[in-house]
Short mmCIF file of all heavy atoms in Angstrom, two decimals:
data_model
loop_
_atom_site.label_atom_id
_atom_site.label_comp_id
_atom_site.label_asym_id
_atom_site.label_seq_id
_atom_site.Cartn_x
_atom_site.Cartn_y
_atom_site.Cartn_z
N MET A 1 -175.42 -67.79 28.65
CA MET A 1 -176.84 -67.97 28.47
C MET A 1 -177.12 -68.23 26.97
O MET A 1 -176.74 -67.47 26.16
CB MET A 1 -177.63 -66.76 28.94
CG MET A 1 -177.51 -66.59 30.41
SD MET A 1 -178.67 -65.28 31.02
CE MET A 1 -177.47 -63.99 31.18
N THR A 2 -177.83 -69.24 26.75
CA THR A 2 -178.11 -69.62 25.37
C THR A 2 -179.64 -69.75 25.09
O THR A 2 -180.46 -69.79 26.06
CB THR A 2 -177.46 -70.96 24.97
OG1 THR A 2 -178.06 -71.97 25.71
CG2 THR A 2 -175.99 -70.90 25.26
N ARG A 3 -179.96 -69.86 23.83
CA ARG A 3 -181.38 -70.05 23.53
C ARG A 3 -181.94 -71.30 24.11
O ARG A 3 -183.08 -71.38 24.47
CB ARG A 3 -181.58 -70.09 21.98
CG ARG A 3 -181.98 -68.76 21.45
CD ARG A 3 -182.38 -68.91 19.99
NE ARG A 3 -181.19 -69.13 19.19
CZ ARG A 3 -181.15 -69.57 17.98
NH1 ARG A 3 -182.20 -69.92 17.43
NH2 ARG A 3 -180.06 -69.74 17.36
N LYS A 4 -181.13 -72.34 24.18
CA LYS A 4 -181.60 -73.60 24.80
C LYS A 4 -182.06 -73.43 26.20
O LYS A 4 -182.97 -74.01 26.66
CB LYS A 4 -180.53 -74.71 24.71
CG LYS A 4 -180.25 -75.23 23.27
CD LYS A 4 -179.22 -76.23 23.25
CE LYS A 4 -178.94 -76.71 21.90
NZ LYS A 4 -177.94 -77.77 21.87
N ASN A 5 -181.31 -72.56 26.93
CA ASN A 5 -181.73 -72.32 28.35
C ASN A 5 -183.05 -71.65 28.38
O ASN A 5 -183.90 -71.84 29.29
CB ASN A 5 -180.79 -71.43 29.03
CG ASN A 5 -179.46 -72.21 29.29
OD1 ASN A 5 -179.36 -73.40 29.38
ND2 ASN A 5 -178.40 -71.44 29.37
N ALA A 6 -183.37 -70.82 27.42
CA ALA A 6 -184.65 -70.04 27.38
C ALA A 6 -185.80 -70.95 27.17
O ALA A 6 -186.93 -70.65 27.54
CB ALA A 6 -184.60 -68.96 26.30
N LEU A 7 -185.62 -72.12 26.67
CA LEU A 7 -186.70 -73.07 26.39
C LEU A 7 -187.32 -73.58 27.75
O LEU A 7 -188.45 -74.04 27.77
CB LEU A 7 -186.21 -74.31 25.70
CG LEU A 7 -185.75 -74.05 24.22
CD1 LEU A 7 -185.12 -75.37 23.61
CD2 LEU A 7 -186.91 -73.57 23.35
N PHE A 8 -186.60 -73.44 28.83
CA PHE A 8 -187.10 -73.82 30.11
C PHE A 8 -187.79 -72.77 30.85
O PHE A 8 -188.06 -72.85 32.01
CB PHE A 8 -185.90 -74.36 30.98
CG PHE A 8 -185.23 -75.60 30.40
CD1 PHE A 8 -184.09 -75.51 29.69
CD2 PHE A 8 -185.97 -76.79 30.51
CE1 PHE A 8 -183.51 -76.63 29.15
CE2 PHE A 8 -185.37 -77.96 29.94
CZ PHE A 8 -184.16 -77.88 29.29
N ALA A 9 -188.10 -71.58 30.19
CA ALA A 9 -188.76 -70.54 30.76
C ALA A 9 -190.20 -70.90 31.27
O ALA A 9 -190.64 -70.45 32.33
CB ALA A 9 -188.86 -69.36 29.86
N GLY A 10 -190.87 -71.81 30.56
CA GLY A 10 -192.11 -72.41 31.03
C GLY A 10 -193.32 -71.60 30.62
O GLY A 10 -194.40 -72.15 30.64
N HIS A 11 -193.23 -70.34 30.42
CA HIS A 11 -194.34 -69.47 30.12
C HIS A 11 -193.88 -68.26 29.34
O HIS A 11 -192.76 -67.87 29.40
CB HIS A 11 -195.02 -69.00 31.47
CG HIS A 11 -196.37 -68.41 31.27
ND1 HIS A 11 -196.47 -67.05 31.08
CD2 HIS A 11 -197.57 -68.88 31.29
CE1 HIS A 11 -197.76 -66.77 30.95
NE2 HIS A 11 -198.46 -67.93 31.11
N GLU A 12 -194.78 -67.63 28.61
CA GLU A 12 -194.40 -66.54 27.77
C GLU A 12 -193.79 -65.44 28.63
O GLU A 12 -192.85 -64.77 28.24
CB GLU A 12 -195.61 -66.00 27.00
CG GLU A 12 -195.26 -64.87 26.02
CD GLU A 12 -196.43 -64.46 25.19
OE1 GLU A 12 -197.42 -65.23 25.11
OE2 GLU A 12 -196.31 -63.37 24.64
N ILE A 13 -194.41 -65.11 29.81
CA ILE A 13 -193.87 -64.07 30.61
C ILE A 13 -192.51 -64.46 31.16
O ILE A 13 -191.60 -63.54 31.24
CB ILE A 13 -194.84 -63.78 31.79
CG1 ILE A 13 -196.17 -63.16 31.21
CG2 ILE A 13 -194.25 -62.83 32.79
CD1 ILE A 13 -197.28 -63.07 32.21
N GLY A 14 -192.33 -65.68 31.50
CA GLY A 14 -191.01 -66.14 31.97
C GLY A 14 -189.98 -66.00 30.88
O GLY A 14 -188.85 -65.58 31.14
N ALA A 15 -190.35 -66.33 29.63
CA ALA A 15 -189.45 -66.15 28.49
C ALA A 15 -189.06 -64.68 28.31
O ALA A 15 -187.88 -64.37 27.97
CB ALA A 15 -190.10 -66.76 27.20
N GLU A 16 -190.07 -63.77 28.45
CA GLU A 16 -189.73 -62.32 28.33
C GLU A 16 -188.83 -61.91 29.37
O GLU A 16 -187.88 -61.15 29.11
CB GLU A 16 -191.09 -61.56 28.34
CG GLU A 16 -191.91 -61.72 27.11
CD GLU A 16 -193.30 -61.07 27.26
OE1 GLU A 16 -193.57 -60.39 28.22
OE2 GLU A 16 -194.09 -61.27 26.34
N ASN A 17 -189.02 -62.33 30.62
CA ASN A 17 -188.12 -62.01 31.69
C ASN A 17 -186.73 -62.51 31.46
O ASN A 17 -185.75 -61.84 31.72
CB ASN A 17 -188.67 -62.50 33.01
CG ASN A 17 -189.89 -61.71 33.44
OD1 ASN A 17 -190.07 -60.57 33.10
ND2 ASN A 17 -190.74 -62.37 34.28
N TRP A 18 -186.64 -63.76 30.93
CA TRP A 18 -185.31 -64.36 30.67
C TRP A 18 -184.66 -63.55 29.52
O TRP A 18 -183.43 -63.22 29.63
CB TRP A 18 -185.55 -65.80 30.11
CG TRP A 18 -184.24 -66.43 29.75
CD1 TRP A 18 -183.68 -66.43 28.50
CD2 TRP A 18 -183.29 -67.09 30.64
NE1 TRP A 18 -182.52 -67.09 28.56
CE2 TRP A 18 -182.23 -67.48 29.85
CE3 TRP A 18 -183.29 -67.35 31.95
CZ2 TRP A 18 -181.16 -68.17 30.34
CZ3 TRP A 18 -182.21 -68.02 32.52
CH2 TRP A 18 -181.14 -68.41 31.73
N ALA A 19 -185.35 -63.09 28.54
CA ALA A 19 -184.72 -62.27 27.45
C ALA A 19 -184.28 -60.94 27.98
O ALA A 19 -183.20 -60.53 27.60
CB ALA A 19 -185.76 -62.09 26.32
N LEU A 20 -185.03 -60.34 28.89
CA LEU A 20 -184.60 -59.09 29.53
C LEU A 20 -183.34 -59.25 30.27
O LEU A 20 -182.41 -58.46 30.15
CB LEU A 20 -185.74 -58.53 30.39
CG LEU A 20 -185.48 -57.28 31.14
CD1 LEU A 20 -185.33 -56.08 30.21
CD2 LEU A 20 -186.50 -56.99 32.20
N LEU A 21 -183.27 -60.29 31.08
CA LEU A 21 -182.06 -60.53 31.92
C LEU A 21 -180.91 -60.81 31.04
O LEU A 21 -179.75 -60.29 31.25
CB LEU A 21 -182.34 -61.62 32.94
CG LEU A 21 -181.21 -61.92 33.80
CD1 LEU A 21 -180.78 -60.81 34.68
CD2 LEU A 21 -181.51 -63.16 34.69
N ALA A 22 -181.08 -61.70 30.02
CA ALA A 22 -179.98 -61.98 29.11
C ALA A 22 -179.49 -60.75 28.41
O ALA A 22 -178.28 -60.59 28.19
CB ALA A 22 -180.47 -63.04 28.13
N SER A 23 -180.34 -59.84 27.98
CA SER A 23 -179.97 -58.60 27.37
C SER A 23 -179.14 -57.74 28.24
O SER A 23 -178.14 -57.09 27.90
CB SER A 23 -181.24 -57.85 26.93
OG SER A 23 -180.93 -56.62 26.33
N ILE A 24 -179.59 -57.56 29.55
CA ILE A 24 -178.84 -56.75 30.54
C ILE A 24 -177.43 -57.34 30.77
O ILE A 24 -176.45 -56.61 30.74
CB ILE A 24 -179.62 -56.70 31.84
CG1 ILE A 24 -180.93 -55.87 31.69
CG2 ILE A 24 -178.75 -56.12 32.97
CD1 ILE A 24 -181.83 -55.90 32.85
N VAL A 25 -177.36 -58.67 30.89
CA VAL A 25 -176.09 -59.29 31.14
C VAL A 25 -175.14 -59.12 29.90
O VAL A 25 -173.92 -58.79 30.04
CB VAL A 25 -176.24 -60.75 31.53
CG1 VAL A 25 -174.85 -61.53 31.55
CG2 VAL A 25 -176.90 -60.93 32.89
N ALA A 26 -175.66 -59.35 28.77
CA ALA A 26 -174.89 -59.09 27.54
C ALA A 26 -174.39 -57.71 27.33
O ALA A 26 -173.24 -57.48 26.99
CB ALA A 26 -175.70 -59.60 26.29
N THR A 27 -175.31 -56.72 27.65
CA THR A 27 -174.88 -55.36 27.54
C THR A 27 -173.78 -54.98 28.58
O THR A 27 -172.87 -54.26 28.26
CB THR A 27 -176.07 -54.40 27.76
OG1 THR A 27 -177.07 -54.78 26.75
CG2 THR A 27 -175.69 -52.98 27.57
N CYS A 28 -173.87 -55.56 29.73
CA CYS A 28 -172.83 -55.35 30.78
C CYS A 28 -171.55 -55.90 30.25
O CYS A 28 -170.47 -55.18 30.37
CB CYS A 28 -173.27 -55.99 32.07
SG CYS A 28 -174.49 -55.06 33.03
N LYS A 29 -171.56 -57.12 29.73
CA LYS A 29 -170.32 -57.70 29.26
C LYS A 29 -169.67 -56.87 28.16
O LYS A 29 -168.49 -56.74 28.08
CB LYS A 29 -170.57 -59.15 28.86
CG LYS A 29 -170.80 -60.04 30.04
CD LYS A 29 -171.03 -61.47 29.58
CE LYS A 29 -171.20 -62.38 30.78
NZ LYS A 29 -171.41 -63.80 30.35
N LEU A 30 -170.52 -56.42 27.22
CA LEU A 30 -170.01 -55.57 26.11
C LEU A 30 -169.38 -54.28 26.65
O LEU A 30 -168.46 -53.77 25.99
CB LEU A 30 -171.18 -55.19 25.13
CG LEU A 30 -171.62 -56.31 24.26
CD1 LEU A 30 -172.90 -55.88 23.49
CD2 LEU A 30 -170.47 -56.77 23.27
N ASN A 31 -169.80 -53.82 27.81
CA ASN A 31 -169.25 -52.56 28.36
C ASN A 31 -168.28 -52.85 29.46
O ASN A 31 -167.94 -51.93 30.17
CB ASN A 31 -170.42 -51.68 28.84
CG ASN A 31 -171.16 -51.16 27.69
OD1 ASN A 31 -170.70 -50.12 27.10
ND2 ASN A 31 -172.25 -51.68 27.29
N ASP A 32 -167.81 -54.08 29.59
CA ASP A 32 -166.78 -54.46 30.58
C ASP A 32 -167.23 -54.07 31.97
O ASP A 32 -166.54 -53.53 32.75
CB ASP A 32 -165.49 -53.80 30.26
CG ASP A 32 -164.29 -54.50 30.96
OD1 ASP A 32 -164.35 -55.67 31.22
OD2 ASP A 32 -163.31 -53.81 31.30
N VAL A 33 -168.55 -54.44 32.31
CA VAL A 33 -169.07 -54.17 33.62
C VAL A 33 -169.55 -55.52 34.23
O VAL A 33 -170.03 -56.44 33.56
CB VAL A 33 -170.35 -53.27 33.37
CG1 VAL A 33 -171.14 -53.18 34.68
CG2 VAL A 33 -169.86 -51.88 32.93
N ASN A 34 -169.32 -55.62 35.49
CA ASN A 34 -169.73 -56.82 36.30
C ASN A 34 -171.31 -56.82 36.34
O ASN A 34 -171.81 -55.89 36.98
CB ASN A 34 -169.11 -56.78 37.66
CG ASN A 34 -169.57 -57.88 38.51
OD1 ASN A 34 -170.60 -58.50 38.34
ND2 ASN A 34 -168.71 -58.26 39.48
N PRO A 35 -171.91 -57.79 35.70
CA PRO A 35 -173.42 -57.78 35.64
C PRO A 35 -174.03 -57.76 37.02
O PRO A 35 -175.05 -57.08 37.32
CB PRO A 35 -173.79 -59.01 34.84
CG PRO A 35 -172.59 -59.28 34.09
CD PRO A 35 -171.45 -58.85 34.85
N ALA A 36 -173.50 -58.59 38.01
CA ALA A 36 -174.10 -58.72 39.31
C ALA A 36 -174.04 -57.37 40.09
O ALA A 36 -175.03 -56.95 40.65
CB ALA A 36 -173.49 -59.84 40.11
N ALA A 37 -172.92 -56.72 39.99
CA ALA A 37 -172.67 -55.44 40.64
C ALA A 37 -173.59 -54.40 40.00
O ALA A 37 -174.21 -53.61 40.75
CB ALA A 37 -171.23 -55.01 40.58
N TYR A 38 -173.69 -54.40 38.65
CA TYR A 38 -174.57 -53.43 37.95
C TYR A 38 -176.00 -53.60 38.41
O TYR A 38 -176.71 -52.65 38.77
CB TYR A 38 -174.39 -53.65 36.48
CG TYR A 38 -175.45 -52.82 35.73
CD1 TYR A 38 -175.40 -51.43 35.62
CD2 TYR A 38 -176.62 -53.47 35.15
CE1 TYR A 38 -176.39 -50.73 35.00
CE2 TYR A 38 -177.53 -52.77 34.55
CZ TYR A 38 -177.46 -51.44 34.44
OH TYR A 38 -178.46 -50.65 33.77
N ILE A 39 -176.53 -54.82 38.36
CA ILE A 39 -177.90 -54.98 38.72
C ILE A 39 -178.17 -54.66 40.17
O ILE A 39 -179.17 -53.95 40.44
CB ILE A 39 -178.34 -56.51 38.41
CG1 ILE A 39 -178.27 -56.78 36.91
CG2 ILE A 39 -179.68 -56.85 39.06
CD1 ILE A 39 -178.35 -58.23 36.57
N ALA A 40 -177.33 -55.04 41.04
CA ALA A 40 -177.49 -54.72 42.53
C ALA A 40 -177.46 -53.18 42.72
O ALA A 40 -178.40 -52.69 43.37
CB ALA A 40 -176.39 -55.37 43.28
N GLU A 41 -176.53 -52.50 42.13
CA GLU A 41 -176.44 -51.07 42.40
C GLU A 41 -177.55 -50.32 41.70
O GLU A 41 -178.06 -49.26 42.15
CB GLU A 41 -175.06 -50.50 42.00
CG GLU A 41 -174.01 -51.00 42.96
CD GLU A 41 -172.64 -50.25 42.75
OE1 GLU A 41 -172.69 -49.18 42.35
OE2 GLU A 41 -171.69 -50.88 43.04
N THR A 42 -178.01 -50.79 40.55
CA THR A 42 -179.06 -50.16 39.85
C THR A 42 -180.39 -50.28 40.58
O THR A 42 -181.16 -49.39 40.72
CB THR A 42 -179.21 -50.75 38.30
OG1 THR A 42 -177.97 -50.45 37.73
CG2 THR A 42 -180.35 -50.03 37.59
N LEU A 43 -180.61 -51.48 41.08
CA LEU A 43 -181.86 -51.69 41.86
C LEU A 43 -181.84 -50.88 43.10
O LEU A 43 -182.83 -50.29 43.55
CB LEU A 43 -181.99 -53.18 42.20
CG LEU A 43 -182.37 -54.15 41.00
CD1 LEU A 43 -182.38 -55.54 41.48
CD2 LEU A 43 -183.77 -53.71 40.44
N GLU A 44 -180.68 -50.72 43.74
CA GLU A 44 -180.58 -49.88 44.97
C GLU A 44 -180.86 -48.45 44.61
O GLU A 44 -181.60 -47.73 45.35
CB GLU A 44 -179.17 -50.03 45.55
CG GLU A 44 -178.93 -51.30 46.31
CD GLU A 44 -177.49 -51.38 46.89
OE1 GLU A 44 -176.86 -50.35 47.14
OE2 GLU A 44 -177.07 -52.52 47.02
N ALA A 45 -180.34 -48.01 43.49
CA ALA A 45 -180.59 -46.60 43.07
C ALA A 45 -182.07 -46.39 42.77
O ALA A 45 -182.61 -45.33 43.21
CB ALA A 45 -179.81 -46.24 41.74
N ILE A 46 -182.76 -47.32 42.11
CA ILE A 46 -184.19 -47.17 41.86
C ILE A 46 -184.97 -47.21 43.18
O ILE A 46 -185.85 -46.34 43.38
CB ILE A 46 -184.65 -48.31 40.94
CG1 ILE A 46 -184.04 -48.15 39.54
CG2 ILE A 46 -186.17 -48.37 40.92
CD1 ILE A 46 -184.22 -49.41 38.66
N ILE A 47 -184.63 -48.07 44.13
CA ILE A 47 -185.30 -48.11 45.43
C ILE A 47 -185.12 -46.80 46.20
O ILE A 47 -185.98 -46.30 46.87
CB ILE A 47 -184.84 -49.31 46.22
CG1 ILE A 47 -185.29 -50.62 45.63
CG2 ILE A 47 -185.20 -49.21 47.72
CD1 ILE A 47 -184.72 -51.89 46.09
N ASP A 48 -183.88 -46.24 46.08
CA ASP A 48 -183.57 -44.98 46.73
C ASP A 48 -184.17 -43.77 46.08
O ASP A 48 -184.00 -42.62 46.50
CB ASP A 48 -182.07 -44.82 46.83
CG ASP A 48 -181.42 -45.75 47.85
OD1 ASP A 48 -182.12 -46.31 48.68
OD2 ASP A 48 -180.23 -45.93 47.76
N GLY A 49 -184.96 -43.96 44.96
CA GLY A 49 -185.68 -42.88 44.34
C GLY A 49 -184.95 -42.19 43.26
O GLY A 49 -185.18 -40.98 42.98
N HIS A 50 -184.13 -42.84 42.52
CA HIS A 50 -183.46 -42.24 41.36
C HIS A 50 -184.54 -41.67 40.42
O HIS A 50 -185.48 -42.33 40.06
CB HIS A 50 -182.58 -43.25 40.60
CG HIS A 50 -181.78 -42.72 39.50
ND1 HIS A 50 -180.54 -42.16 39.72
CD2 HIS A 50 -182.00 -42.51 38.15
CE1 HIS A 50 -180.08 -41.76 38.61
NE2 HIS A 50 -180.90 -42.00 37.67
N PRO A 51 -184.38 -40.43 40.03
CA PRO A 51 -185.40 -39.76 39.17
C PRO A 51 -185.54 -40.38 37.76
O PRO A 51 -184.52 -40.73 37.12
CB PRO A 51 -185.00 -38.33 39.09
CG PRO A 51 -183.59 -38.28 39.47
CD PRO A 51 -183.35 -39.51 40.33
N HIS A 52 -186.75 -40.54 37.23
CA HIS A 52 -187.02 -41.11 35.91
C HIS A 52 -186.38 -40.23 34.85
O HIS A 52 -185.95 -40.73 33.85
CB HIS A 52 -188.51 -41.29 35.66
CG HIS A 52 -189.11 -42.35 36.46
ND1 HIS A 52 -190.51 -42.35 36.81
CD2 HIS A 52 -188.62 -43.43 37.07
CE1 HIS A 52 -190.73 -43.44 37.54
NE2 HIS A 52 -189.61 -44.08 37.75
N SER A 53 -186.35 -38.97 35.14
CA SER A 53 -185.74 -38.07 34.13
C SER A 53 -184.29 -38.23 33.91
O SER A 53 -183.68 -37.78 32.95
CB SER A 53 -186.02 -36.58 34.49
OG SER A 53 -185.42 -36.32 35.74
N ARG A 54 -183.55 -38.98 34.74
CA ARG A 54 -182.17 -39.28 34.70
C ARG A 54 -181.89 -40.78 34.50
O ARG A 54 -180.86 -41.23 34.93
CB ARG A 54 -181.46 -38.71 35.91
CG ARG A 54 -181.49 -37.23 36.00
CD ARG A 54 -180.77 -36.62 37.22
NE ARG A 54 -179.46 -37.29 37.35
CZ ARG A 54 -178.95 -37.57 38.57
NH1 ARG A 54 -179.60 -37.23 39.71
NH2 ARG A 54 -177.81 -38.13 38.72
N ILE A 55 -182.78 -41.42 33.85
CA ILE A 55 -182.67 -42.88 33.61
C ILE A 55 -181.33 -43.21 32.86
O ILE A 55 -180.79 -44.25 33.08
CB ILE A 55 -183.88 -43.42 32.89
CG1 ILE A 55 -183.90 -45.02 33.05
CG2 ILE A 55 -183.99 -43.02 31.47
CD1 ILE A 55 -184.29 -45.50 34.35
N GLU A 56 -180.94 -42.33 31.98
CA GLU A 56 -179.72 -42.53 31.22
C GLU A 56 -178.47 -42.76 32.13
O GLU A 56 -177.54 -43.52 31.74
CB GLU A 56 -179.46 -41.36 30.28
CG GLU A 56 -178.37 -41.50 29.29
CD GLU A 56 -178.63 -42.61 28.16
OE1 GLU A 56 -179.81 -42.84 27.87
OE2 GLU A 56 -177.66 -43.16 27.61
N ASP A 57 -178.50 -42.21 33.31
CA ASP A 57 -177.43 -42.34 34.26
C ASP A 57 -177.24 -43.83 34.77
O ASP A 57 -176.18 -44.15 35.24
CB ASP A 57 -177.60 -41.44 35.46
CG ASP A 57 -177.55 -39.99 35.20
OD1 ASP A 57 -177.11 -39.63 34.06
OD2 ASP A 57 -178.08 -39.21 36.00
N LEU A 58 -178.27 -44.59 34.62
CA LEU A 58 -178.32 -45.97 35.08
C LEU A 58 -177.96 -46.99 34.01
O LEU A 58 -177.93 -48.21 34.34
CB LEU A 58 -179.69 -46.34 35.67
CG LEU A 58 -180.11 -45.48 36.83
CD1 LEU A 58 -181.48 -45.85 37.29
CD2 LEU A 58 -179.15 -45.58 38.00
N MET A 59 -177.62 -46.54 32.82
CA MET A 59 -177.33 -47.52 31.77
C MET A 59 -175.95 -48.11 32.00
O MET A 59 -175.04 -47.49 32.63
CB MET A 59 -177.26 -46.79 30.44
CG MET A 59 -178.66 -46.22 30.00
SD MET A 59 -179.91 -47.54 29.80
CE MET A 59 -181.02 -47.22 31.15
N PRO A 60 -175.77 -49.35 31.56
CA PRO A 60 -174.44 -50.09 31.78
C PRO A 60 -173.22 -49.32 31.27
O PRO A 60 -172.17 -49.35 31.95
CB PRO A 60 -174.60 -51.42 31.09
CG PRO A 60 -176.11 -51.66 31.03
CD PRO A 60 -176.69 -50.24 30.87
N TRP A 61 -173.37 -48.60 30.20
CA TRP A 61 -172.18 -47.94 29.56
C TRP A 61 -171.80 -46.69 30.49
O TRP A 61 -170.81 -46.10 30.25
CB TRP A 61 -172.42 -47.54 28.14
CG TRP A 61 -173.71 -46.85 27.92
CD1 TRP A 61 -174.08 -45.55 27.95
CD2 TRP A 61 -174.93 -47.48 27.55
NE1 TRP A 61 -175.34 -45.31 27.64
CE2 TRP A 61 -175.92 -46.52 27.39
CE3 TRP A 61 -175.29 -48.84 27.24
CZ2 TRP A 61 -177.21 -46.76 27.05
CZ3 TRP A 61 -176.62 -49.12 26.92
CH2 TRP A 61 -177.56 -48.12 26.74
N ARG A 62 -172.68 -46.33 31.40
CA ARG A 62 -172.36 -45.18 32.29
C ARG A 62 -171.97 -45.74 33.67
O ARG A 62 -171.62 -44.92 34.56
CB ARG A 62 -173.62 -44.28 32.44
CG ARG A 62 -173.91 -43.55 31.23
CD ARG A 62 -173.89 -42.09 31.57
NE ARG A 62 -174.10 -41.28 30.42
CZ ARG A 62 -175.02 -40.32 30.29
NH1 ARG A 62 -175.79 -40.04 31.34
NH2 ARG A 62 -175.16 -39.60 29.23
N PHE A 63 -172.10 -46.99 33.87
CA PHE A 63 -171.74 -47.61 35.25
C PHE A 63 -170.27 -47.43 35.47
O PHE A 63 -169.49 -47.65 34.57
CB PHE A 63 -172.15 -49.03 35.22
CG PHE A 63 -172.13 -49.69 36.57
CD1 PHE A 63 -173.05 -49.40 37.53
CD2 PHE A 63 -171.18 -50.70 36.85
CE1 PHE A 63 -173.04 -49.93 38.77
CE2 PHE A 63 -171.17 -51.35 38.10
CZ PHE A 63 -172.11 -50.94 39.00
N ARG A 64 -169.92 -47.16 36.66
CA ARG A 64 -168.51 -46.93 37.01
C ARG A 64 -167.64 -48.16 36.77
O ARG A 64 -168.05 -49.30 37.08
CB ARG A 64 -168.39 -46.53 38.49
CG ARG A 64 -168.95 -47.48 39.45
CD ARG A 64 -168.87 -46.97 40.85
NE ARG A 64 -169.50 -47.87 41.78
CZ ARG A 64 -169.03 -48.98 42.22
NH1 ARG A 64 -167.86 -49.32 41.85
NH2 ARG A 64 -169.70 -49.82 43.01
N LYS A 65 -166.56 -47.98 36.13
CA LYS A 65 -165.69 -49.06 35.74
C LYS A 65 -165.02 -49.74 36.90
O LYS A 65 -164.50 -50.84 36.81
CB LYS A 65 -164.56 -48.60 34.80
CG LYS A 65 -165.15 -48.06 33.45
CD LYS A 65 -165.86 -49.21 32.68
CE LYS A 65 -166.38 -48.68 31.40
NZ LYS A 65 -167.10 -49.68 30.62
N ALA A 66 -165.10 -49.18 38.15
CA ALA A 66 -164.51 -49.80 39.32
C ALA A 66 -165.18 -51.14 39.65
O ALA A 66 -164.63 -52.00 40.26
CB ALA A 66 -164.68 -48.91 40.50
N SER A 67 -166.39 -51.37 39.11
CA SER A 67 -167.07 -52.60 39.38
C SER A 67 -166.69 -53.70 38.35
O SER A 67 -167.18 -54.82 38.41
CB SER A 67 -168.58 -52.39 39.32
OG SER A 67 -168.95 -52.10 37.94
N SER A 68 -165.81 -53.37 37.40
CA SER A 68 -165.45 -54.37 36.39
C SER A 68 -164.69 -55.54 37.03
O SER A 68 -163.85 -55.34 37.95
CB SER A 68 -164.52 -53.61 35.38
OG SER A 68 -164.00 -54.57 34.45
N PRO A 69 -164.98 -56.75 36.50
CA PRO A 69 -164.28 -57.98 37.11
C PRO A 69 -162.82 -58.03 36.74
O PRO A 69 -162.10 -58.75 37.36
CB PRO A 69 -165.10 -59.08 36.48
CG PRO A 69 -165.69 -58.51 35.17
CD PRO A 69 -165.90 -57.11 35.48
N HIS A 70 -162.38 -57.18 35.75
CA HIS A 70 -160.98 -57.23 35.32
C HIS A 70 -160.10 -56.30 36.12
O HIS A 70 -158.92 -56.13 35.94
CB HIS A 70 -160.84 -56.84 33.84
CG HIS A 70 -161.69 -57.79 33.02
ND1 HIS A 70 -161.43 -59.11 32.87
CD2 HIS A 70 -162.81 -57.54 32.27
CE1 HIS A 70 -162.33 -59.64 32.11
NE2 HIS A 70 -163.12 -58.68 31.72
N GLN A 71 -160.66 -55.52 37.10
CA GLN A 71 -159.84 -54.61 37.90
C GLN A 71 -159.70 -55.06 39.32
O GLN A 71 -160.39 -55.85 39.83
CB GLN A 71 -160.46 -53.26 37.90
CG GLN A 71 -160.44 -52.63 36.56
CD GLN A 71 -161.01 -51.20 36.53
OE1 GLN A 71 -161.61 -50.81 37.53
NE2 GLN A 71 -160.84 -50.54 35.42
#
């Protein structure tokens, strides 16, 4: 994902959403985590009622390494 792609966001809110997604994907890659698996499992945890007080548990650097694309 590059800055040129962000130019197609079309609206300020779209650009903010693009930046958020790009940040999540980049953080996952830095932590050797599959971004698609991380996003899917994190959304499932939130839907299942993961407590706000334990939000740190959902960070990419805490995501189980079994979802890594290199394993």
Side-chain angles (χ1 to χ4, degrees):
M1 294 188 257
T2 65
R3 260 191 289 162
K4 288 183 182 179
N5 291 335
L7 294 175
F8 296 102
H11 192 272
E12 185 176 340
I13 294 171
E16 289 173 6
N17 289 336
W18 178 266
L20 177 67
L21 181 60
S23 176
I24 291 170
V25 170
T27 302
C28 285
K29 289 181 178 182
L30 285 172
N31 287 279
D32 197 31
V33 169
N34 178 334
Y38 168 75
I39 292 169
E41 289 191 32
T42 300
L43 289 175
E44 286 178 26
I46 292 168
I47 290 168
D48 290 343
H50 187 85
H52 291 154
S53 61
R54 293 183 42 217
I55 194 74
E56 188 70 23
D57 295 344
L58 299 178
M59 296 296 112
W61 48 88
R62 291 236 177 130
F63 191 68
R64 58 185 174 78
K65 295 298 182 184
S67 66
S68 174
H70 302 297
Q71 292 182 351

